[in-house]
Amino acid sequence: DGIRDFLLSLVGSEMCIRDSVYHPLRTAWLRAADDLGARTVDGLGMLIHQAALQQETWLGERPDTAAMRVAAEAALTDR
């Protein structure tokens, strides 16, 4: 935990902390950064936007990423 503690000592409220993990959405890293006042971003957005770009490439239409987010969160809740 020495490295984690060191990294957390660098986190400030003016920062945005990102974790590429999407299950669980709120990782220990994001929870700790949130507790320190930093803005946090989970990895589900990256997964969704990569999937949307793939669908656009293959089908020629960009899907509704907000609807994809709702569906992904529901699917992760069921896991």
Side-chain angles (χ1 to χ4, degrees):
D1 264 346
I3 291 175
R4 182 177 179 270
D5 291 340
F6 170 72
L7 292 173
L8 285 173
S9 74
L10 301 175
V11 173
S13 61
E14 72 286 353
M15 299 176 127
C16 179
I17 303 298
R18 179 172 186 29
D19 197 336
S20 295
V21 174
Y22 59 87
H23 192 276
L25 279 178
R26 302 300 301 163
T27 62
W29 171 242
L30 291 182
R31 286 192 311 273
D34 192 47
D35 289 345
L36 293 169
R39 179 173 175 258
T40 59
V41 179
D42 62 59
L44 190 56
M46 182 173 66
L47 176 71
I48 289 168
H49 286 278
Q50 287 174 339
L53 286 172
Q54 291 170 359
Q55 186 169 336
E56 184 177 24
T57 298
W58 285 96
L59 304 176
E61 291 184 27
R62 185 137 174 125
D64 179 356
T65 53
M68 292 173 72
R69 174 96 191 188
V70 170
E73 286 177 354
L76 290 172
T77 300
D78 293 342
R79 285 175 111 189

